[in-house]
Structure formats: structure tokens, C-alpha cells
Amino acid sequence: MENLYKDKCIPAESRSQSSIPKQQERAANNSLENNMGETKAGTTTTTEDWSTLSQWIQCMCIVTFDLNLGQALEFIYPKEFMPSEQEVTNICYMAFPDSNSGCMGDTKFHMRLRMSPDTSRLQELQQFRCYNSDCPPVLKVDQSHYWGFVYFRQKRDANLPRGYFQKSFIIVTRLPFFNLFYEMLTQLAQKYFDEGEEVLTKACQQINSDWPQLQVGGTFNLPLFDQCYQILVPRASSRKAVQQNFGSESIEKLEKLERPISVKVIASVNEVELFHSLSFIVDHMYTLWELVLTAEPIVVVGTSPADCSHMVQTLVALIAPLEYCAEARPYFTIHDSEFKEFTRECGKIPPPLILGVTNPFFIKLLKDWPHMLRLVDNQLNMQKQQQIAIKNSRNTSSVTSLNSVGGLKTGNGNSTSLNGSNGEGSAPGLYTKYKPFLKKDKSLIKKVLLGLKTKRPEHVQTALLRRHLLELTQSFMIPLERYMASLMPLQKDISPFKSAPNANAFKLDDFLATLELSGPHLTSPLKGDWKGLYRRFYNSPNFRGWYESRHKELQLTLQDLQLQALSEANLEQWARDKQEVEIIDMILKLKQKLNLYNDKLSTESSSWIGSNGNTATTTRDQIRAQINCMKELLPNDLKNVVNI
């Protein structure tokens, strides 16, 4: 293990002291007992006391470097949301950069942590049911993972035994609100390094008392010390909903205290700047889009966790609004508890995974992975790569030259030797043997590269790329959505007196047969083997995730239609030639459907309108009326038997 620690961005004399994971775990537990001793002596609180806070963040914690024990958890708040022992270990190891880049100064990045299986947390996750049912897929709360946003500071300090100050401030949350939490991270971490641990307690208490409940379909005002963040959480459903403004009372409360408030409007809570990561490799954006769409294994290699985490998130965003259903780890180290799971033995097929790493050890370990994306080392080199891209596009007849620096390494000859002596393997670029199904849009690439030359603002370049990628993904998905809609049974097949029919099965060959008349070539300028791409997509986790979601929606729609038909049926006429046992059976079925319907309405908006113009509450009232109607047809003694 000793050779694996040489890449830590810590002084050489202290690295050998941090090679025992079990010692680190014990240090984390001991430090927690020490730093929370005063809290235990005070007022006892429970998770219910943090009901609002737990919707937005899980906890805030501080990780420091102990000379004898390595990374250790120094402080956490609130203590009621103490992570498990395995989670503490993962947080500590990933709180510090795992590279030899130096990382002096301040570094911000994010990570994704697998949640330890714990049945006691299932109740906590129930509070997100309503939110998940209404929000877009990319904003859903992950039931099995946390997000960790890290602010790492390293600087020389002659007063410390080893001459370095190293500490990380971390926000742990279940929400993928990258832009919001990075803003909060910057504000709180800098304040913490100036004022100490009291910042964490005050911030958590203010969030719990002043922030509104997490909801979908409105604008939120989120005050935090002298800052107020204004965000919009959009609604995924096309059903009409009233736009609301949450948290205005909090602002009025702060204004009464005459506290200066600076309002920060965050246009999108989750959309990252695509061009920031893609600028040096925009020529191969379409290849990356196909790789992410089909959930191919990709390892992203950089020297900074900030660059890696941003690139991984950019890759996932390439296929928006389609949900990326495979595993993605923005930042991953050799000490992660899933290390053996993700880095299988040579010869085995890598899992569908996007992995962001900084330790050079992974280059040798993952040499059999089919796709490796090497990032530019720093901002100065990034500008150099952009200039090379502009020069190549001007001096060659095609902007798709494979010989350009930072270009596509196709896997022929020495160019694939990532550890070769020629040094080419360390050049930024995409190393792959993958042959794209589609031809790239050269006009768009030229437009983006021209923007580099004319110094077009980065956010404008991002908007250009995001719109084009959105249209490309929609062109790909529209035929699938159209075919999926055709699997819905006909209205005449839905009977109020029979169970709801099932949606027809998805058949790949039948779908491919529809592409000639209604394929993506009608809406997309890209040419190529669309059918081949659909076949590859069909076998990916992204298709399975999309299909399961759409199939569930179809089944729920069929149940709603069957329930509406039942609510409007003339049950009194139906019951004329029925025996009492059949009427009782119908009453019990109606009660069962009513209970299921009430559960559904508890997690969804009751304002949606059905196909017949009735609202959900109207349908529910009609079902109750049908139950009462059936009840009147029974003698008094049987009314008591059914206990209605």
C-alpha cells in the first residue's frame, strides 16, 4: 500500500503515517466523540427537529489531516445525521485530492457516495416521494447515494509540525443541485476558515428555521447569513400547475432585522457549464455523446478533482433530458469502498460506469478499459489547447483531423500506448477504438471553434452546445416515445368491470421498422447508421431505465382510465341481475381501488385533469358515490358485514 500513497498531495515525510485505514476509522470516531461532547451535554434533539434541514442537506462536516493517523473527521453537524462507519471512511479519503499536482490554495469539487444499507433511513427517504414524483429525472433524489461538495484548503504554515495546513469543508446532501451547493460551499467554507465551527451550527439552524419545505414547481428564496439564493425547481409534468414563490417570509424576517441581504439569482440549480470542460475536445463531442448515450465505460483522468468532477458531470449532461441510468462517480480514489467492484480483473468486461480519477495508478490499472479521456492539466494548458484546436481547424481541410493534439486516439499503432515511452499517451484527448455510428455536424463545430477565435463568452458557447445537444437527444428519443405511445391498448379495450389491460410489449424489430417513415433523420441534420445506434442503446442501462419509467407511466394511465370508467359506469343497472355476494365483491374492489387512489394522490398533485375532463378529486368523489350506491342495494345485516 505504501506506493499508493506517494501520489497524495501531502508532504513526503507525513505520507507513511497514513497507511492504515482502520486507524483512520478509529480516529474519526474518537474525534467525533470529542467534538460532540459539549452538544450531548446540552439539549437533546432528534431527527424530527431537523425536518426542514434534512430535505435540503444531510449534514456539514470538517475533515482534517492528522500527522499520525491521516485524514480524520474533526467535526460534524447536526450529530443526529451521523454517517455510518463506512461512509465516514469514504468521506475522509475523498475529502482530499488524490494526486501529485500540489493542489496548493483552495480547491472545490464534488463526489458521489454510496449510502450504507440501513433500514432506519427508509423513513427519511419517504419525505422525498412527492418531490421525486413531480421533478425532472435529473433532479431526483437518489435513494442509494449522497452527494458531497468539498472545499479543500492547503497552504504552508510554519507553525504546524509538518509545515502545511490541510483541511476540507464538506456539505453532504441528497439533492443534485450543483450550482446551488457550490455557491453555498464557497460562502460557508470561507466563513468557516475565518470564524470556526460556529458557522456550521448557525448555518444549519438558519436553514432549518428560515428555509421553506422542498417542493416542485416554484421559485425558492433561501437566505443564508447575508446572502439570499433564489432558485427555481421546475416541474417535470406537463400538467398545469400554479407557479409559487416559497420563502418570501424569510426575506421579510431578515429585512425587519435590518440585515444587509445580497440576492444571488441562480438560473439553473443543476446545469453545469458544458463548454468549460468540452472546449479542448469539442471536435469529438458527438463521439462522447454516443458513448454516454449507450452507457459505455469511460475513465476520466485529470490532475485535479475539480476538473474530473466537472467533466464527469458534463458527460452525464450531454444526453439531457434523458436520464443517465448507469453509475457515475465524479471523483474516485483507490480507498473507496467500491474500488474492487469497479476495477475488475483484467479480461473482464468493465461495468457501465463513468469514473473520474486523479491518481496515475488508475492509468495502469484500467488500461483495458475501452475509453479513456485525459484532461488538460491546468487553465494555462487549456488555453494552449484551444489555440491548437483553432489552428488545426484553419490549416486543415477538415476539422475532424485525427492527428491534432487533444484529438481522437483511434487505437492504431503507438497512439494507444497510454504508458508508452513516446509520451503521446499523456497528451489530452480521447483514447478509444470506438467507431461512431453518426457523422458529426461540421458546421456546428466550426461555429464553436470560431467562437474560440473571437473570444465568445463561455456561457454563450455553453448555450449553443446545450441547445444543439438537446435537439439531438430529442431527435433520438422522439421515435422511441412515439412507438411507446402506440403500445397503449385501445380505449374500447378498457372495461369498468375488468382489470386494467397491460401495455403491449416493446419489440425492437417492430420499432426499427418505424424509423423509415418517422425516424430521427427527419429532425436531425446528422447522417449515419441510426438503426445501429438504436440497437446498441437498446442493450444499455439508459434504455432500461427509460423503458421502465415509461412502462410504469403507461400502466398508471391505464389504471386511471379504468378507474374513471368505473366511476362513470351505471353500477345500479349492472347490479340488477347480480347476487348479493357479487355486489359485496364489487364494493370491496371499489374500496381497494379507492385506497390505492388515495395513496397515489398523496404523492402527486391533485390538480391534474384526466382524459374525460375530470380532476383527480372528482374521480375520487365519484368512486365514493358508487360505493354508497352499492351499499343501498344490500340489506342492513350485510351492510355491517362489509363494514363500510
PDB file of all heavy atoms in Angstrom, residues 391-413:
ATOM      1  N   LYS A 391      -6.053  26.508 -34.643  1.00  0.00           N
ATOM      2  CA  LYS A 391      -5.035  26.425 -35.694  1.00  0.00           C
ATOM      3  C   LYS A 391      -5.283  25.220 -36.587  1.00  0.00           C
ATOM      4  O   LYS A 391      -5.189  25.319 -37.817  1.00  0.00           O
ATOM      5  CB  LYS A 391      -3.645  26.340 -35.053  1.00  0.00           C
ATOM      6  CG  LYS A 391      -2.512  26.307 -36.070  1.00  0.00           C
ATOM      7  CD  LYS A 391      -1.171  26.254 -35.344  1.00  0.00           C
ATOM      8  CE  LYS A 391      -0.021  26.209 -36.361  1.00  0.00           C
ATOM      9  NZ  LYS A 391       1.299  26.137 -35.675  1.00  0.00           N
ATOM     10  N   ASN A 392      -5.618  24.078 -35.997  1.00  0.00           N
ATOM     11  CA  ASN A 392      -5.862  22.874 -36.793  1.00  0.00           C
ATOM     12  C   ASN A 392      -7.084  23.032 -37.683  1.00  0.00           C
ATOM     13  O   ASN A 392      -7.104  22.554 -38.814  1.00  0.00           O
ATOM     14  CB  ASN A 392      -6.058  21.672 -35.877  1.00  0.00           C
ATOM     15  CG  ASN A 392      -4.752  21.212 -35.244  1.00  0.00           C
ATOM     16  OD1 ASN A 392      -3.686  21.436 -35.802  1.00  0.00           O
ATOM     17  ND2 ASN A 392      -4.843  20.595 -34.084  1.00  0.00           N
ATOM     18  N   SER A 393      -8.119  23.702 -37.165  1.00  0.00           N
ATOM     19  CA  SER A 393      -9.326  23.890 -37.970  1.00  0.00           C
ATOM     20  C   SER A 393      -9.083  24.841 -39.126  1.00  0.00           C
ATOM     21  O   SER A 393      -9.750  24.798 -40.145  1.00  0.00           O
ATOM     22  CB  SER A 393     -10.464  24.428 -37.088  1.00  0.00           C
ATOM     23  OG  SER A 393     -10.160  25.738 -36.627  1.00  0.00           O
ATOM     24  N   ARG A 394      -8.081  25.716 -38.990  1.00  0.00           N
ATOM     25  CA  ARG A 394      -7.789  26.687 -40.043  1.00  0.00           C
ATOM     26  C   ARG A 394      -6.831  26.113 -41.075  1.00  0.00           C
ATOM     27  O   ARG A 394      -6.928  26.401 -42.270  1.00  0.00           O
ATOM     28  CB  ARG A 394      -7.210  27.955 -39.415  1.00  0.00           C
ATOM     29  CG  ARG A 394      -6.918  29.045 -40.433  1.00  0.00           C
ATOM     30  CD  ARG A 394      -6.494  30.340 -39.743  1.00  0.00           C
ATOM     31  NE  ARG A 394      -5.272  30.182 -38.974  1.00  0.00           N
ATOM     32  CZ  ARG A 394      -5.204  30.271 -37.652  1.00  0.00           C
ATOM     33  NH1 ARG A 394      -6.297  30.504 -36.962  1.00  0.00           N
ATOM     34  NH2 ARG A 394      -4.065  30.106 -37.011  1.00  0.00           N
ATOM     35  N   ASN A 395      -5.898  25.279 -40.640  1.00  0.00           N
ATOM     36  CA  ASN A 395      -4.850  24.801 -41.536  1.00  0.00           C
ATOM     37  C   ASN A 395      -5.162  23.472 -42.210  1.00  0.00           C
ATOM     38  O   ASN A 395      -4.398  23.013 -43.050  1.00  0.00           O
ATOM     39  CB  ASN A 395      -3.532  24.649 -40.763  1.00  0.00           C
ATOM     40  CG  ASN A 395      -3.011  25.998 -40.286  1.00  0.00           C
ATOM     41  OD1 ASN A 395      -3.399  27.036 -40.814  1.00  0.00           O
ATOM     42  ND2 ASN A 395      -2.136  25.978 -39.293  1.00  0.00           N
ATOM     43  N   THR A 396      -6.233  22.817 -41.827  1.00  0.00           N
ATOM     44  CA  THR A 396      -6.586  21.550 -42.453  1.00  0.00           C
ATOM     45  C   THR A 396      -7.909  21.681 -43.181  1.00  0.00           C
ATOM     46  O   THR A 396      -8.708  22.577 -42.911  1.00  0.00           O
ATOM     47  CB  THR A 396      -6.710  20.439 -41.398  1.00  0.00           C
ATOM     48  OG1 THR A 396      -7.736  20.789 -40.476  1.00  0.00           O
ATOM     49  CG2 THR A 396      -5.391  20.231 -40.672  1.00  0.00           C
ATOM     50  N   SER A 397      -8.115  20.785 -44.133  1.00  0.00           N
ATOM     51  CA  SER A 397      -9.346  20.833 -44.920  1.00  0.00           C
ATOM     52  C   SER A 397     -10.546  20.362 -44.125  1.00  0.00           C
ATOM     53  O   SER A 397     -11.669  20.578 -44.497  1.00  0.00           O
ATOM     54  CB  SER A 397      -9.196  19.964 -46.174  1.00  0.00           C
ATOM     55  OG  SER A 397      -8.897  18.623 -45.794  1.00  0.00           O
ATOM     56  N   SER A 398     -10.303  19.658 -43.038  1.00  0.00           N
ATOM     57  CA  SER A 398     -11.389  19.138 -42.216  1.00  0.00           C
ATOM     58  C   SER A 398     -11.102  19.389 -40.747  1.00  0.00           C
ATOM     59  O   SER A 398      -9.982  19.243 -40.294  1.00  0.00           O
ATOM     60  CB  SER A 398     -11.560  17.630 -42.445  1.00  0.00           C
ATOM     61  OG  SER A 398     -12.458  17.097 -41.518  1.00  0.00           O
ATOM     62  N   VAL A 399     -12.126  19.759 -40.015  1.00  0.00           N
ATOM     63  CA  VAL A 399     -11.935  19.994 -38.579  1.00  0.00           C
ATOM     64  C   VAL A 399     -11.906  18.688 -37.813  1.00  0.00           C
ATOM     65  O   VAL A 399     -11.767  18.685 -36.610  1.00  0.00           O
ATOM     66  CB  VAL A 399     -13.070  20.886 -38.013  1.00  0.00           C
ATOM     67  CG1 VAL A 399     -13.027  22.235 -38.633  1.00  0.00           C
ATOM     68  CG2 VAL A 399     -14.427  20.222 -38.216  1.00  0.00           C
ATOM     69  N   THR A 400     -12.022  17.566 -38.489  1.00  0.00           N
ATOM     70  CA  THR A 400     -12.057  16.278 -37.806  1.00  0.00           C
ATOM     71  C   THR A 400     -10.739  15.539 -37.912  1.00  0.00           C
ATOM     72  O   THR A 400     -10.691  14.328 -37.795  1.00  0.00           O
ATOM     73  CB  THR A 400     -13.167  15.398 -38.408  1.00  0.00           C
ATOM     74  OG1 THR A 400     -12.892  15.206 -39.809  1.00  0.00           O
ATOM     75  CG2 THR A 400     -14.517  16.051 -38.258  1.00  0.00           C
ATOM     76  N   SER A 401      -9.656  16.273 -38.141  1.00  0.00           N
ATOM     77  CA  SER A 401      -8.345  15.631 -38.250  1.00  0.00           C
ATOM     78  C   SER A 401      -8.022  14.847 -36.989  1.00  0.00           C
ATOM     79  O   SER A 401      -8.086  15.357 -35.884  1.00  0.00           O
ATOM     80  CB  SER A 401      -7.266  16.687 -38.475  1.00  0.00           C
ATOM     81  OG  SER A 401      -5.989  16.110 -38.400  1.00  0.00           O
ATOM     82  N   LEU A 402      -7.658  13.579 -37.153  1.00  0.00           N
ATOM     83  CA  LEU A 402      -7.356  12.722 -36.010  1.00  0.00           C
ATOM     84  C   LEU A 402      -5.939  12.912 -35.511  1.00  0.00           C
ATOM     85  O   LEU A 402      -5.551  12.321 -34.520  1.00  0.00           O
ATOM     86  CB  LEU A 402      -7.560  11.254 -36.392  1.00  0.00           C
ATOM     87  CG  LEU A 402      -8.988  10.869 -36.781  1.00  0.00           C
ATOM     88  CD1 LEU A 402      -9.039   9.391 -37.111  1.00  0.00           C
ATOM     89  CD2 LEU A 402      -9.964  11.195 -35.680  1.00  0.00           C
ATOM     90  N   ASN A 403      -5.157  13.719 -36.213  1.00  0.00           N
ATOM     91  CA  ASN A 403      -3.762  13.901 -35.825  1.00  0.00           C
ATOM     92  C   ASN A 403      -3.553  15.130 -34.960  1.00  0.00           C
ATOM     93  O   ASN A 403      -2.432  15.450 -34.584  1.00  0.00           O
ATOM     94  CB  ASN A 403      -2.882  14.015 -37.073  1.00  0.00           C
ATOM     95  CG  ASN A 403      -2.912  12.748 -37.906  1.00  0.00           C
ATOM     96  OD1 ASN A 403      -2.904  11.659 -37.359  1.00  0.00           O
ATOM     97  ND2 ASN A 403      -2.966  12.889 -39.221  1.00  0.00           N
ATOM     98  N   SER A 404      -4.608  15.859 -34.664  1.00  0.00           N
ATOM     99  CA  SER A 404      -4.464  17.073 -33.867  1.00  0.00           C
ATOM    100  C   SER A 404      -4.212  16.724 -32.415  1.00  0.00           C
ATOM    101  O   SER A 404      -4.675  15.716 -31.905  1.00  0.00           O
ATOM    102  CB  SER A 404      -5.730  17.929 -33.982  1.00  0.00           C
ATOM    103  OG  SER A 404      -6.831  17.219 -33.505  1.00  0.00           O
ATOM    104  N   VAL A 405      -3.459  17.602 -31.728  1.00  0.00           N
ATOM    105  CA  VAL A 405      -3.224  17.404 -30.302  1.00  0.00           C
ATOM    106  C   VAL A 405      -4.550  17.555 -29.573  1.00  0.00           C
ATOM    107  O   VAL A 405      -5.306  18.478 -29.823  1.00  0.00           O
ATOM    108  CB  VAL A 405      -2.192  18.434 -29.789  1.00  0.00           C
ATOM    109  CG1 VAL A 405      -2.022  18.283 -28.287  1.00  0.00           C
ATOM    110  CG2 VAL A 405      -0.870  18.265 -30.516  1.00  0.00           C
ATOM    111  N   GLY A 406      -4.795  16.649 -28.638  1.00  0.00           N
ATOM    112  CA  GLY A 406      -6.081  16.674 -27.926  1.00  0.00           C
ATOM    113  C   GLY A 406      -7.180  16.031 -28.736  1.00  0.00           C
ATOM    114  O   GLY A 406      -8.338  16.132 -28.395  1.00  0.00           O
ATOM    115  N   GLY A 407      -6.833  15.375 -29.842  1.00  0.00           N
ATOM    116  CA  GLY A 407      -7.837  14.772 -30.696  1.00  0.00           C
ATOM    117  C   GLY A 407      -8.130  13.350 -30.315  1.00  0.00           C
ATOM    118  O   GLY A 407      -7.860  12.892 -29.215  1.00  0.00           O
ATOM    119  N   LEU A 408      -8.695  12.617 -31.265  1.00  0.00           N
ATOM    120  CA  LEU A 408      -9.122  11.249 -31.018  1.00  0.00           C
ATOM    121  C   LEU A 408      -7.981  10.287 -31.296  1.00  0.00           C
ATOM    122  O   LEU A 408      -7.421  10.263 -32.372  1.00  0.00           O
ATOM    123  CB  LEU A 408     -10.301  10.925 -31.935  1.00  0.00           C
ATOM    124  CG  LEU A 408     -10.956   9.555 -31.773  1.00  0.00           C
ATOM    125  CD1 LEU A 408     -11.631   9.475 -30.422  1.00  0.00           C
ATOM    126  CD2 LEU A 408     -11.950   9.323 -32.887  1.00  0.00           C
ATOM    127  N   LYS A 409      -7.632   9.494 -30.275  1.00  0.00           N
ATOM    128  CA  LYS A 409      -6.629   8.452 -30.458  1.00  0.00           C
ATOM    129  C   LYS A 409      -7.374   7.164 -30.794  1.00  0.00           C
ATOM    130  O   LYS A 409      -8.044   6.580 -29.947  1.00  0.00           O
ATOM    131  CB  LYS A 409      -5.797   8.262 -29.179  1.00  0.00           C
ATOM    132  CG  LYS A 409      -5.374   9.580 -28.523  1.00  0.00           C
ATOM    133  CD  LYS A 409      -4.584  10.481 -29.442  1.00  0.00           C
ATOM    134  CE  LYS A 409      -4.066  11.658 -28.639  1.00  0.00           C
ATOM    135  NZ  LYS A 409      -4.214  12.943 -29.196  1.00  0.00           N
ATOM    136  N   THR A 410      -7.279   6.736 -32.044  1.00  0.00           N
ATOM    137  CA  THR A 410      -8.166   5.682 -32.533  1.00  0.00           C
ATOM    138  C   THR A 410      -7.764   4.292 -32.096  1.00  0.00           C
ATOM    139  O   THR A 410      -8.504   3.355 -32.288  1.00  0.00           O
ATOM    140  CB  THR A 410      -8.196   5.705 -34.072  1.00  0.00           C
ATOM    141  OG1 THR A 410      -6.862   5.484 -34.554  1.00  0.00           O
ATOM    142  CG2 THR A 410      -8.689   7.039 -34.575  1.00  0.00           C
ATOM    143  N   GLY A 411      -6.597   4.120 -31.556  1.00  0.00           N
ATOM    144  CA  GLY A 411      -6.215   2.797 -31.106  1.00  0.00           C
ATOM    145  C   GLY A 411      -5.327   2.078 -32.085  1.00  0.00           C
ATOM    146  O   GLY A 411      -5.064   0.892 -31.946  1.00  0.00           O
ATOM    147  N   ASN A 412      -4.849   2.750 -33.127  1.00  0.00           N
ATOM    148  CA  ASN A 412      -3.970   2.129 -34.089  1.00  0.00           C
ATOM    149  C   ASN A 412      -2.533   2.549 -33.823  1.00  0.00           C
ATOM    150  O   ASN A 412      -2.239   3.720 -33.619  1.00  0.00           O
ATOM    151  CB  ASN A 412      -4.362   2.546 -35.513  1.00  0.00           C
ATOM    152  CG  ASN A 412      -5.771   2.111 -35.866  1.00  0.00           C
ATOM    153  OD1 ASN A 412      -6.185   1.025 -35.479  1.00  0.00           O
ATOM    154  ND2 ASN A 412      -6.512   2.955 -36.571  1.00  0.00           N
ATOM    155  N   GLY A 413      -1.630   1.616 -33.831  1.00  0.00           N
ATOM    156  CA  GLY A 413      -0.231   1.963 -33.651  1.00  0.00           C
ATOM    157  C   GLY A 413       0.090   2.330 -32.229  1.00  0.00           C
ATOM    158  O   GLY A 413      -0.535   1.897 -31.280  1.00  0.00           O
TER     159      GLY A 413
END
